[in-house]
């Protein structure tokens, strides 16, 4: 019996697989767009390897994720998502300051339960007035219309602009529900839950993962009170997104598979979960499983059509069906070490995204620029990045900045190249942006 050395280092395994493939260092360098000298130092342990290079080597040598698995992921300061987020007595609400700025502040749970009604009473509405308002069909229709307008606004502005309105309307709807009949109460709570779920998404965009989980939990509770379990499944998809940005492939896959296992959930929610599973497999450099999940997502999202589970869409409303599967495929191909294919697909799909969907253009545009930079098409990547920043500076997204940081690290390899030098002041400024 031959004993295997342990632990196996990335450099040693890279050299073993490269020589088994009959490749010289020069050939590997050509395929992964790194210098022969750099790769030589990686193989001998004289140079640390980043996860992006590891994925490219993994894809080039068809290692099925085994090479990439030898590289430790960077640690994250964000808390791990969990469905059992603590139910303590402290909850968060949005407070407005006299100068117009806003911030999240703690309140006792009992205060928050009546916050919606209290805000209405503060406008001199009696409990009878609240009840009468809640019973009008026009009330729910108006709040539905407002929700769609807020989502559109969220595509072109910072979470700091959108969140105060979303939080206020969530509390108002919950307050109205307290004075409504049983049927109307369910409709109001279901709508309030959609507002709360969107508040969770915008809170994540603002860089507050803990707050995002709290709002998602609130959405699940209100939805369940309305007899609707859809959001409890979708909450798993939201949590999987948090694990994805923490580069936790196994956690992302597990949460996404849990969501897909709920056959009572809509085809859309299960399709979105399949997309998240695909992104998890891409992080793990598992090409076949990634593509199986993408195929499953395409079928489910096409079955769901443009709208799912009522007339309030969860998840992306700007890109739907097979188009959403395609842009996520482009996203995954970069993580799978195939940047040229990633860039081609994202070129095709972003051409169909409305110009008004600035958040979508910034998110997938950043991934497209990263793909071209990874493929060493530096001038094109710089030109694309300027276009991305036009949108990223508007929407001020913490999650988009994750890819922008990776892009900056990749382009820094060509720091003396003129287009890179001209881009970096603006790119660096965008990376310093944060929600006030």
């Amino acid at each position: 019996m031959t004993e295997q050395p342990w632990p196996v280092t990335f450099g040693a395994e890279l050299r073993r697989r490269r020589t088994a493939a009959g490749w010289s260092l020069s050939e590997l360098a050509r395929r992964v767009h790194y210098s022969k000298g750099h790769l030589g130092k990686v193989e001998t342990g004289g140079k640390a390897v980043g996860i992006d290079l590891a994925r490219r080597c993994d894809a080039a040598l068809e290692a099925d994720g085994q090479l990439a698995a030898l590289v430790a992921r960077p640690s994250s300061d964000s808390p791990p998502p969990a469905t059992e987020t603590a139910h303590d007595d402290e909850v968060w609400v949005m407070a407005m300051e006299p100068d117009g700025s806003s911030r999240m502040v703690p309140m006792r749970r009992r205060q928050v339960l009546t916050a919606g009604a209290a805000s209405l009473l503060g406008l001199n509405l009696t409990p009878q007035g609240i009840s009468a308002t809640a019973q009008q069909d026009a009330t729910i229709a108006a709040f539905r219309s407002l929700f769609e307008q807020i989502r559109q606004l969220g595509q072109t502005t910072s979470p700091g602009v959108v969140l105060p309105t979303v939080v206020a309307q969530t509390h108002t709807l919950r307050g109205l529900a307290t004075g409504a009949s049983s049927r109307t109460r369910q409709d109001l709570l279901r709508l309030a839950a959609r507002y709360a779920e969107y508040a969770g998404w915008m809170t994540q965009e603002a860089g507050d993962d803990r707050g995002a989980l709290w709002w998602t939990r609130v959405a699940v509770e209100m939805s369940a009170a309305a007899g609707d379990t859809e959001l409890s499944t979708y909450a798993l998809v939201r949590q999987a997104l948090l694990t994805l940005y923490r580069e936790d492939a196994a956690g992302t896959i597990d949460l996404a598979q849990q969501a897909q296992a709920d056959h009572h959930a809509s085809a859309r929610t299960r399709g979105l979960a399949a997309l998240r599973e695909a992104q998890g497999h891409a992080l793990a450099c598992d090409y076949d499983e990634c593509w199986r999940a993408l195929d499953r997502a395409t079928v489910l999202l096409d079955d769901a059509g443009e709208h799912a589970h009522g007339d309030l869409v969860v998840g992306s409303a700007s890109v739907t069906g097979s188009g959403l599967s395609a842009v996520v495929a482009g996203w995954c191909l970069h993580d799978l070490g195939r940047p040229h294919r990633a860039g081609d697909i994202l070129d095709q799909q972003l051409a169909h995204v409305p110009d008004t969907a600035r958040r979508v253009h910034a998110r997938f545009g950043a991934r497209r620029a990263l793909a071209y930079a990874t493929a060493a098409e530096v001038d094109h990547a710089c030109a694309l990045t300027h276009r991305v920043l036009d949108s990223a500076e508007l929407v001020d997204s913490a999650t988009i900045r994750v890819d922008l940081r990776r892009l900056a690290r990749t382009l820094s390899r060509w720091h003396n190249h003129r287009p890179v030098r001209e881009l970096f002041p603006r790119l660096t400024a965008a990376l310093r942006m944060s929600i006030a």
Side-chain angles (χ1 to χ4, degrees):
M1 177 177 178
T2 303
E3 293 186 2
Q4 297 296 322
W6 185 260
V8 177
T9 66
F10 178 87
E13 182 65 5
L14 176 63
R15 179 180 174 80
R16 187 189 71 77
R17 288 179 178 270
R18 176 180 62 77
T19 55
W23 292 356
S24 65
L25 268 174
S26 297
E27 176 62 16
L28 180 60
R30 183 186 68 81
R31 290 172 180 261
V32 301
H33 306 294
Y34 265 78
S35 71
K36 174 183 173 181
H38 184 96
L39 293 174
K41 291 177 181 178
V42 167
E43 286 192 350
T44 59
K47 198 84 168 177
V49 62
I51 186 61
D52 289 335
L53 174 57
R55 287 172 179 148
R56 272 181 266 177
C57 292
D58 195 291
L61 291 163
E62 298 182 349
D64 297 325
Q66 295 179 42
L67 260 178
L70 296 174
V71 179
R73 267 49 168 191
S75 62
S76 172
D77 294 331
S78 60
T83 53
E84 64 274 9
T85 306
H87 282 251
D88 53 31
D89 287 333
E90 184 179 275
V91 295
W92 304 341
V93 296
M94 182 71 72
M96 297 292 293
E97 301 293 345
D99 63 0
S101 63
S102 57
R103 60 190 176 94
M104 297 293 287
V105 297
M107 286 181 65
R108 307 303 295 178
R109 180 176 294 275
R110 184 172 297 177
Q111 290 175 286
V112 175
L113 290 174
T114 57
S119 64
L120 292 174
L121 289 169
L123 295 174
N124 296 320
L125 288 178
T126 63
Q128 291 78 14
I130 296 172
S131 178
T133 301
Q135 300 307 323
Q136 296 186 70
D137 291 338
T139 298
I140 293 177
F143 276 104
R144 286 179 183 272
S145 177
L146 179 59
F147 181 70
E148 295 300 339
Q149 292 176 45
I150 289 171
R151 283 172 63 105
Q152 292 175 18
L153 184 63
Q155 280 292 328
T156 59
T157 61
S158 160
V161 174
V162 176
L163 270 169
T165 300
V166 176
V167 171
Q169 300 313 318
T170 303
H171 290 319
T172 298
L173 283 163
R174 184 159 51 182
L176 286 170
T178 63
S181 64
S182 177
R183 183 186 64 81
T184 304
R185 179 177 181 274
Q186 288 184 348
D187 289 342
L188 288 166
L189 285 175
R190 189 176 294 114
L191 183 54
R194 288 298 190 271
Y195 272 91
E197 192 283 322
Y198 189 68
W201 166 231
M202 285 291 102
T203 302
Q204 183 181 354
E205 286 288 86
D208 185 350
D209 289 354
R210 182 167 170 253
L213 285 172
W214 186 86
W215 278 109
T216 300
R217 190 190 75 204
V218 169
V220 169
E221 290 174 345
M222 288 193 292
S223 182
D228 181 356
T229 61
E230 183 76 10
L231 277 184
S232 64
T233 303
Y234 183 73
L236 295 170
V237 182
R238 167 71 63 226
Q239 291 171 42
L241 184 63
L242 291 168
T243 60
L244 178 71
Y245 277 105
R246 296 177 64 245
E247 297 206 336
D248 178 355
T252 302
I253 294 166
D254 179 62
L255 287 164
Q257 289 178 342
Q258 287 182 51
Q260 291 171 82
D262 182 2
H263 296 293
H264 296 292
S266 69
R268 178 176 176 80
T269 293
R270 286 181 287 124
L272 294 173
L275 290 182
R276 199 71 72 238
E277 181 186 347
Q279 290 173 299
H281 288 305
L283 277 182
C285 292
D286 192 332
Y287 183 92
D288 291 340
E289 287 298 327
C290 175
W291 232 250
R292 276 191 277 270
L294 285 169
D295 288 342
R296 192 162 59 250
T298 300
V299 172
L300 287 165
L301 292 173
D302 282 344
D303 284 348
E306 292 292 318
H307 297 282
H309 201 69
D311 55 355
L312 292 175
V313 177
V314 293
S316 172
S318 301
V319 187
T320 57
S322 57
L324 182 56
S325 295
V327 292
V328 172
W331 176 291
C332 291
L333 282 166
H334 174 270
D335 284 342
L336 288 166
R338 294 162 172 82
H340 286 103
R341 286 184 60 194
D344 288 344
I345 289 178
L346 290 170
D347 282 343
Q348 297 167 18
Q349 297 305 317
L350 285 174
H352 301 298
V353 176
D355 292 340
T356 54
R358 302 296 288 270
R359 193 172 294 275
V360 173
H361 275 288
R363 182 171 313 285
F364 290 100
R367 180 57 59 128
R368 174 172 63 166
L370 177 59
Y372 279 108
T374 301
E377 296 188 27
V378 179
D379 289 357
H380 188 43
C382 288
L384 289 173
T385 304
H386 279 293
R387 289 163 55 184
V388 167
L389 292 176
D390 289 341
S391 295
E393 289 162 354
L394 285 176
V395 300
D396 193 13
S397 161
T399 55
I400 292 169
R401 282 194 289 275
V402 172
D403 267 355
L404 291 179
R405 280 191 289 272
R406 295 178 69 184
L407 179 58
R409 287 195 300 269
T410 302
L411 289 174
S412 67
R413 294 170 52 204
W414 297 275
H415 61 275
N416 288 325
H417 190 54
R418 181 176 177 180
V420 176
R421 290 201 314 269
E422 293 174 345
L423 169 67
F424 256 59
R426 187 181 182 194
L427 180 54
T428 302
L431 290 173
R432 286 198 297 263
M433 291 176 66
S434 63
I435 307 302

